[in-house]
Structure formats: C-alpha cells, structure tokens
Amino acid sequence: MTVRAARAVGGPLRRRWRDRTLLGELLVANGLATAEDVAEALRRQRLHGGRLGAILISMGRISELDLRRVLHAVPAAPLSIEETGLSLNDLLNLLTKAMHGGSVDTAVKLAEVLKLPQRLIQILLEEASAAKLVEALGVVRTLTGALPRYGLSARGREWAQQAFEQNSYIGPAPVPLSDYVSRIQRQAIGEERLPAEAVERALKGLVVSDDLVNKVGPAINSGRPMLLYGPPGNGKTSIAARIGALFNTMVFIPHCFEVGGQIVKVFDPDIHKEVQTTEDGANANSIRATGFDRRWVPCRRPFVVAGGELTLEMLDLRFNTLAKFYEAPLHVKALNGTFLIDDFGRQLVAPETLLNRWIVPLESRVDYLKLHTGKSFALPFDQLVIFSTNMPPSQLMDGAFLRRLPYKIEVGAPSREQYREIFRGAARRHGLEATDEVIDFVLAELTERNDFPLAAYQPEFIVRQVVASCKFRGIPPQFHTDMLTFAIGNLYTKDSPGYGVTAATRRGPSLRIATAGD
C-alpha cells in the first residue's frame, strides 16, 4: 500500500475501542468498575450479545458519561505519518538507528522498538526503500508464518550515522510537545474529586484527628499546593504518602516528547507505575492493542519524593552531552500526580532560592524550561505539590510566599488518648498487649520524669526496642520497666532538652509489667 493510499483509508481503519477486554481493563484501571462487574457483563454478552459498555450501563455499574470519558481519554494509535506529529525525516532517523545493529530486521520488531503500529512501520519501510535506505533480505520463519526481513543499505548506514550524530536515542517514537501539553491538561489532577470517605480510608491506620481529615480533604481536592508542618515524628511524610496513593485513576505518560528538534525522556519505571490490568499475565498486553498509541504508557498518577538531596539543577532539563538527548526533571515526571518536597529547609540549596524557582509555576500553573540551544518552552504545571517540614515556616519563607500556599496544615503531637491508641496498636503488631499500667509508666517516664514531648513515632520505637531486649535476654517478648526505661532513653541523647535522671537509676531493679501471652 502506498503512503497516499494509507492516508486515504486511515480514518475507516481507526479502531473505535470496541475490544471488549481492552474496555473492561480501562474501566477497572480507572476505578469505575470492578473485575467482577466486567466478568458478569462478559457473561451476559456471550449469552445475549450487545456491547460491553452498554451492558455495564444497563447493569447500573457505570454511567454513560463515565463510558464516554474513558473512551475519549485513550490516545489513539497514529495510522499515518502526519498523525504521529513528527516529520518523515525524524521517523526515518529513528527507523535507521533501530535497524543499525542488525537484530531489528522485521516490521514486528521495529513496531515493538518504536511503539508504532505495524501498518505505519510498513509505510515507513516503503518510504525508506524508495529512498534506497533499506533493502529486502528474504524472510524469517515464525510460528505464525513468514515475515519479510530488512537491512540497511550502504546509503542507509550512512543515514543512520548522520542520525546518531544528532542524538543516539533509540526507542519509542516521541510525541509532539503540543500533544503532551494537551494530554497534561486533559488528565489534570484537579479534575479528580475525592470524597471524604476516600480520604478517611486513605488515612486509616494513622491515628489522626477528624479536624486534620477535614483540613486535608479540601486541600487534596483543590489540586493546589499545601504545607504540612509540625514537630518531627508525627506522621507528616506518612500522611503525604497516603495522599499520593489516594488517586486511583489512570493517566498516560509519554515515553518521551519532541520539542525544537530535541528529545526529552519522561517515562521512568522507578517513578511511573505502569498499570497491570490482568492477573494471570496471559493477556497483559491487551491494553496496548492495535488501536492504542503505545508511545504512551498507562500509569497510576505518579508520586515523586525529593528530600534533602534536592538541588536547583534537579528541576532543570538534564542534557546528556554524549547521547545528546534530555532527561525530564523530577517535577515534570510528577506531572498529573503528587510531588512531595520532604524535610523542606534541609536541602543543599537555600530555601529562599528553591522557593523563588517555584513561585511562578505555583501561581500561574505554568512552568518554563530551557533547552541547551537557548529555546524555551512551557508545560502546564499540573501536580499536587506538598511541602513537608519540621522547621517553623516563618524561618523558611516570607509572608509573600506563605500567601501562595493556600493550605497550611499543622500536624501536631498526639494527645494522650491518641498516644495510648498508637501504643496499643504498636504493641499488637509485635504480639504484645499494652495494658494501662504499661502506658501509664511510659507516659510518666516521658512527660514527668524527662519532660520529653510526645510524638507519634515513639510507641513503635519503644516496642521494637523492648522486643530486641527480650531477644537478647532469650525470653519471650514482654514489658519490663527497665526495658521501657532503656528504650525511652534511646529516644534522645543526654544533651537533649528535658533529658533527666532515668527511672532505672532511681528505682533500682526492674519489675516485670506484662508478658506476651499472659
């Protein structure tokens, strides 16, 4: 088929997302239906026919609006050169570089490397053949039949060498910057609504007040930046991690995008969690069927954490001078997701300098990046940014910046009742029972004899130390006053404020308070 003919029939050939397995996976991955719902709908489809989406609507499992939203959200595979958004020369550069090693010699292999439909790969091979860049090498026998093999001609090898001089990138074809911008806007995190019960479920297991839930909920739903502050060890990082895990919808992350003739890699398997929608793996690639643009990777909304190692350079494009293409910075990889700046104020860069870098993106919701060529471009700054610090906010930022953080949430020390609940939970996790007598002793040791502030991390720390002491002594896990005093003493050093004479020094021999299984 010629290029012109392929372009003429491209529209009718485009799949309309009727693949029943693909549709079911998309609905499950977006949290709109359960696997059981889809299985029941498929059973009814086999018995009575009809379309899977219509059956799920009739079952009351999804709405027509949900169905349309999912179908329209999926990037459709390009079926012509124009639909890729790339020039023919750029595509031929990718094609010849992929073929240069000699092992990628069929349309099937090229489609897998470039993540383009085989039909489009065949069009590119015809163009390359017409330009005398590739030549036929016979066929290779497979279980499904014979596949034509191709190799680079002398002119094709010369073309590939020139392409390598531009950059040595070999992999999925990039998407145009305009498509990436449109996709970011289309799957904006602020468009996702999380009800109060979802926030409560996410924070389940953490002992927090209703007041904190009521403050965190609106901040999450706004998609606007928030500041979590308060003394150390009270769960700020844990809360931020639970917030990041709240979002269960699927987003599409590009392997890379093209801007100004340059390639920027975005997809990072260490950050982006690819959606795996089948349990047995037998049909694990159905979501990447022919009708889906495989230059995009279906993922959960990303959650990126940067701590004390964060520098200004990590917020800029990173150009590999040898490979001659870019790696996207952390906050670009976090787009459409959550970006946690943990231990804010303890970075190598001064807080004021870091904040100045963020003022424009946080306020205008647009970020500007610059290529080494001098060209600048804009990306939507769509992410939930969370600053977490145990330092006083007034020491980190001035009033002007504080005004740009619409949600400022204090995560304080637990009350005595909350502390008791946390301690009992920590003891249960280690096979112990924390009686009122045990917890009373711990509270007195902390607050009366040493003037230590209560913190949510302390119960787990103390219980672990007690278990370790029992293991050392060769006895079953149990609470002893001397073990508890020893553990509490390890919370702080002797130059810490409030560190006083320990109970063990005053009380003499330890007393057994409780034993596991008593």
Side-chain angles (χ1 to χ4, degrees):
M1 180 183 292
T2 65
V3 174
R4 180 173 297 177
R7 292 170 185 164
V9 299
L13 285 174
R14 183 178 299 282
R15 291 196 41 178
R16 297 297 180 185
W17 303 106
R18 295 171 184 170
D19 182 287
R20 64 187 186 183
T21 307
L22 174 60
L23 176 57
E25 288 178 353
L26 288 170
L27 292 168
V28 172
N30 279 282
L32 297 173
T34 66
E36 291 74 19
D37 293 336
V38 174
E40 172 60 21
L42 289 171
R43 186 188 70 80
R44 296 188 186 189
Q45 186 182 54
R46 287 191 296 270
L47 290 175
H48 309 293
R51 291 189 177 181
L52 182 64
I55 295 171
L56 284 165
I57 292 172
S58 68
M59 290 169 56
R61 299 297 187 268
I62 62 171
S63 68
E64 189 173 345
L65 180 62
D66 287 335
L67 180 61
R68 285 204 305 268
R69 182 162 60 86
V70 167
L71 295 182
H72 292 164
V74 178
L79 295 177
S80 69
I81 291 171
E82 285 86 350
E83 288 181 12
T84 65
L86 306 173
S87 70
L88 176 59
N89 271 6
D90 287 340
L91 291 168
L92 290 178
N93 286 347
L94 289 168
L95 184 87
T96 55
K97 284 189 292 184
M99 296 179 67
H100 188 263
S103 60
V104 181
D105 57 358
T106 67
V108 172
K109 292 179 180 178
L110 281 166
E112 185 55 36
V113 172
L114 302 185
K115 303 300 182 188
L116 294 173
Q118 288 186 44
R119 183 180 298 277
L120 182 51
I121 292 294
Q122 198 60 52
I123 294 172
L124 289 175
L125 285 170
E126 291 177 9
E127 292 282 3
S129 179
K132 302 190 183 307
L133 302 179
V134 302
E135 53 194 13
L137 299 180
V139 297
V140 59
R141 302 288 177 182
T142 69
L143 294 175
T144 57
L147 297 175
R149 292 179 59 239
Y150 301 91
L152 294 179
S153 64
R155 184 175 178 181
R157 286 190 292 273
E158 182 181 346
W159 183 293
Q161 288 296 341
Q162 292 175 355
F164 277 119
E165 289 175 8
Q166 295 179 35
N167 64 70
S168 60
Y169 174 80
I170 300 176
V175 301
L177 174 64
S178 58
D179 285 5
Y180 186 31
V181 169
S182 176
R183 178 61 51 178
I184 295 168
Q185 294 169 336
R186 189 171 191 169
Q187 53 199 27
I189 194 168
E191 297 298 316
E192 185 167 352
R193 179 188 173 275
L194 296 169
E197 53 269 23
V199 178
E200 291 170 0
R201 282 196 305 270
L203 298 180
K204 188 176 182 180
L206 300 177
V207 179
V208 296
S209 66
D210 292 340
D211 182 57
L212 183 64
V213 174
N214 291 332
K215 290 178 179 178
V216 168
I220 297 170
N221 278 284
S222 74
R224 305 295 292 180
M226 75 175 79
L227 171 68
L228 299 178
Y229 68 97
N234 287 303
K236 294 183 295 296
T237 302
S238 297
I239 290 171
R242 301 290 184 96
I243 290 172
L246 255 174
F247 302 96
N248 59 8
T249 52
M250 186 168 62
V251 295
F252 295 92
I253 308 294
H255 283 281
C256 56
F257 67 92
E258 184 273 337
V259 53
Q262 306 293 317
I263 292 176
V264 181
K265 287 187 65 178
V266 178
F267 177 73
D268 185 338
D270 292 330
I271 290 176
H272 300 117
K273 305 308 176 187
E274 190 171 354
V275 171
Q276 300 295 335
T277 50
T278 53
E279 295 180 2
D280 59 6
N283 197 29
N285 288 324
S286 65
I287 199 168
R288 297 153 189 82
T290 305
F292 169 70
D293 189 345
R294 296 189 301 153
R295 295 179 296 170
W296 301 86
V297 186
C299 299
R300 297 298 178 194
R301 289 191 184 272
F303 178 67
V304 178
V305 182
E309 78 285 357
L310 182 64
T311 63
L312 277 183
E313 290 73 21
M314 295 171 69
L315 300 178
D316 290 328
L317 292 168
R318 190 166 72 249
F319 183 65
N320 187 320
T321 54
L322 295 177
K324 298 180 182 177
F325 59 85
Y326 295 84
E327 183 80 20
L330 279 178
H331 66 290
V332 171
K333 293 181 179 182
L335 286 172
N336 293 138
T338 304
F339 189 19
L340 168 62
I341 303 175
D342 207 9
D343 288 327
F344 180 60
R346 304 191 185 278
Q347 282 72 29
L348 297 174
V349 59
E352 299 83 4
T353 306
L354 188 60
L355 291 173
N356 286 336
R357 169 66 178 84
W358 287 89
I359 282 180
V360 172
L362 288 175
E363 192 159 80
S364 67
R365 310 293 288 172
V366 175
D367 191 30
Y368 294 91
L369 300 169
K370 180 179 286 188
L371 302 170
H372 76 284
T373 60
K375 176 182 175 62
S376 295
F377 63 94
L379 280 176
F381 191 77
D382 180 73
Q383 55 198 273
L384 179 62
V385 180
I386 304 175
F387 294 91
S388 174
T389 183
N390 53 36
M391 300 175 70
S394 60
Q395 294 181 11
L396 298 174
M397 57 190 79
D398 59 23
F401 196 88
L402 276 171
R403 287 196 300 273
R404 290 175 167 87
L405 295 176
Y407 297 94
K408 295 170 276 288
I409 301 170
E410 182 179 12
V411 182
S415 67
R416 294 176 77 90
E417 280 309 307
Q418 288 174 331
Y419 195 92
R420 289 177 180 276
E421 185 179 348
I422 296 169
F423 202 102
R424 292 189 191 99
R428 282 195 299 271
R429 286 193 294 274
H430 293 275
L432 286 164
E433 180 185 356
T435 63
D436 287 341
E437 184 182 5
V438 169
I439 302 175
D440 287 342
F441 178 85
V442 170
L443 287 170
E445 191 74 11
L446 285 167
T447 61
E448 297 171 16
R449 302 186 186 103
N450 284 292
D451 194 27
F452 290 156
L454 298 182
Y457 81 95
Q458 293 168 351
E460 182 71 23
F461 179 95
I462 293 168
V463 172
R464 283 179 181 272
Q465 294 244 335
V466 168
V467 171
S469 293
C470 292
K471 183 178 180 181
F472 172 71
R473 298 184 187 186
I475 61 176
Q478 55 194 261
F479 287 116
H480 281 263
T481 54
D482 63 330
M483 294 181 187
L484 289 168
T485 302
F486 173 73
I488 292 167
N490 281 330
L491 286 169
Y492 304 98
T493 57
K494 289 189 177 181
D495 60 352
S496 299
Y499 196 105
V501 180
T502 65
T505 303
R506 290 191 304 272
R507 286 171 172 260
S510 63
L511 300 174
R512 186 170 77 86
I513 295 180
T515 304
D518 279 3

